[in-house]
Amino acid sequence: MMKNLSTSIYTFEKLRQENCVYVDKTEYLYKLVTGASQQVFCARPRRFGKSLTVSTLEAIFRGKRELFEGLFIGAQDYDWQEYPVVHIDFARTDMRDQDKLQLSLCLQLSQIGEEYGISLEGINPVIMFDALLRNLAQKYNQGVVLLIDEYDKPIFEHIEDREDAEEFRKFLSSFYQIIKGAEAKERFVFVTGVTRLAKLSIFSKLNNLYDITMDEDYATMMGYTQAELENNFTGWLDKALVEHVTDEFGEPLDRKGLLGELKRWYDGYCFAPGCETVYNPVSVGNFFLKRNAFRNYWFTTGTPRFLVELMQRNKMTLMDVTGARLPAS
């Protein structure tokens, strides 16, 4: 039976409960949660699976073993101990100005506290964040799992205004400093964003932060490899052939031709030198959901607004960046 397909569900539990395609990435997560490195950072482009990865880690640390039947980690000798989890998602915050951001964070922290029977007072998210981590560790007598998604989003939302961006940077630096101070109370920390902002204290203060962004061991942790595409989307590939899929010029495709066109359109992302390339997940999903039409799906949904505005202001075209190389640092 062909599994359902969704490009809008980012919650691992919901994805599994609704019998949707889930490309098993738990081998990488098993390595992370059982390894020596406790504070991990990973940058990936938007719409590339960061939020789903964070959600999957949350399910692991909440001990929801039943969701992992048939997956790599479900067959391992993992203890499935339940830990208190603090999941902060900056995509859920109001970032129109700093006051609204701080209020949104206060609400998120309060809601997490209420879930664990901890009352947080005040209107300072930095103080509340520190209090939440300390109280959780004390109440449960074990390390707290901290998951931060889109850690850099508030800055990029205001990147076109240097003064605003700097104010957001200063606030976030003070907020993230709490992670360093609470290190002894943390079981595991995982932080995601679209890039590494060197001037944020999350990097200067966290001496043990393990950056796997360009680590060859995790180069295919997000996105689909060729084998994963063919093994997990067999039913959808067959369906496309039955529906007489064509290329962008209307020419009919057989299986080999279909796989070739998919590779040409959606493969090619590489996150470590010499490592296997991966397909963009949202592009693959939308191709099948949009009646097998070859289009630039990621560009319309995943391109950062600030990047488009920057290119427009500087009168840049795609030809200006095609094949560009950054000098070695």
Side-chain angles (χ1 to χ4, degrees):
M1 180 179 177
M2 189 169 67
K3 288 194 172 185
N4 299 321
L5 190 56
S6 174
T7 60
S8 60
I9 297 176
Y10 307 112
T11 304
F12 174 76
E13 182 171 2
K14 186 175 182 180
L15 204 68
R16 297 288 283 173
Q17 290 175 342
E18 298 195 6
N19 193 37
C20 292
V21 172
Y22 172 72
V23 176
D24 188 3
K25 299 291 186 176
T26 61
E27 182 174 359
Y28 302 101
L29 304 186
Y30 175 73
K31 188 189 308 183
L32 287 176
V33 303
T34 59
S37 298
Q38 301 298 315
Q39 297 175 331
V40 182
F41 172 77
C42 185
R44 286 292 184 271
R46 288 181 178 171
R47 304 300 303 276
F48 225 96
K50 299 188 300 296
S51 295
L52 179 57
T53 300
V54 169
S55 178
T56 309
L57 283 166
E58 181 172 4
I60 290 172
F61 282 114
R62 286 183 179 273
K64 297 187 176 183
R65 184 173 188 170
E66 69 281 0
L67 297 176
F68 295 89
E69 292 184 8
L71 301 181
F72 178 88
I73 195 172
Q76 306 308 306
D77 185 21
Y78 181 68
D79 60 14
W80 295 101
Q81 181 178 346
E82 186 174 355
Y83 294 88
V85 177
V86 175
H87 178 180
I88 300 174
D89 183 1
F90 278 92
R92 290 175 48 208
T93 59
D94 187 337
M95 291 169 282
R96 286 176 291 174
D97 58 52
Q98 195 171 147
D99 288 340
K100 290 182 174 60
L101 173 62
Q102 294 194 32
L103 177 59
S104 293
L105 283 173
C106 287
L107 290 174
Q108 278 199 52
L109 294 169
S110 294
Q111 290 169 355
I112 295 169
E114 288 175 5
E115 178 186 355
Y116 290 102
I118 294 173
S119 177
L120 298 175
E121 298 180 355
I123 56 173
N124 187 323
V126 177
I127 295 174
M128 292 175 68
F129 187 27
D130 181 56
L132 178 61
L133 295 178
R134 286 188 291 103
N135 288 333
L136 282 173
Q138 182 178 7
K139 180 174 182 177
Y140 291 92
N141 194 31
Q142 59 182 334
V144 178
V145 172
L146 177 57
L147 308 172
I148 299 180
D149 198 9
E150 303 283 4
Y151 89 102
D152 50 1
K153 190 172 178 62
I155 294 177
F156 282 120
E157 285 295 307
H158 295 267
I159 199 69
E160 70 278 1
D161 188 319
R162 181 170 295 184
E163 290 185 5
D164 275 359
E166 177 60 16
E167 288 303 309
F168 276 90
R169 185 198 68 80
K170 289 179 180 177
F171 164 70
L172 289 174
S173 291
S174 64
F175 185 79
Y176 293 138
Q177 281 183 16
I178 299 301
I179 303 174
K180 172 64 176 179
E183 188 172 359
K185 302 174 179 65
E186 295 160 356
R187 160 65 177 87
F188 182 82
V189 177
F190 189 78
V191 182
T192 77
V194 297
T195 190
R196 177 176 176 135
L197 296 174
K199 291 186 178 181
L200 271 179
S201 65
I202 194 169
F203 300 108
S204 61
K205 302 296 184 183
L206 295 182
N207 301 327
N208 297 326
L209 190 66
Y210 178 28
D211 187 351
I212 63 172
T213 301
M214 297 292 288
D215 190 316
E216 61 182 15
D217 289 338
Y218 297 94
T220 58
M221 184 175 75
M222 300 180 202
Y224 306 146
T225 65
Q226 186 66 39
E228 288 170 341
L229 173 74
E230 296 185 38
N231 293 336
N232 289 272
F233 295 89
T234 301
W236 287 92
L237 290 167
D238 291 341
K239 182 174 182 291
L241 293 171
V242 169
E243 294 173 350
H244 305 293
V245 60
T246 63
D247 64 16
E248 59 187 305
F249 304 108
E251 294 296 320
L253 297 170
D254 57 12
R255 179 173 289 272
K256 182 178 179 180
L258 172 57
L259 289 173
E261 283 297 290
L262 285 169
K263 187 174 186 65
R264 185 171 73 88
W265 276 80
Y266 307 126
D267 191 16
Y269 296 85
C270 185
F271 295 106
C275 289
E276 184 177 2
T277 59
V278 291
Y279 288 78
N280 175 255
V282 72
S283 295
V284 171
N286 273 314
F287 168 78
F288 291 118
L289 292 174
K290 303 291 186 180
R291 299 184 179 181
N292 314 315
F294 289 100
R295 297 172 187 160
N296 293 314
Y297 296 108
W298 182 85
F299 183 83
T300 59
T301 62
T303 305
R305 176 175 56 84
F306 80 87
L307 182 59
V308 175
E309 292 175 352
L310 179 66
M311 293 179 70
Q312 290 174 339
R313 284 202 304 270
N314 290 278
K315 296 182 172 57
M316 296 173 66
T317 69
L318 289 177
M319 294 301 295
D320 296 314
V321 296
T322 299
R325 289 177 175 267
L326 294 176
S329 57

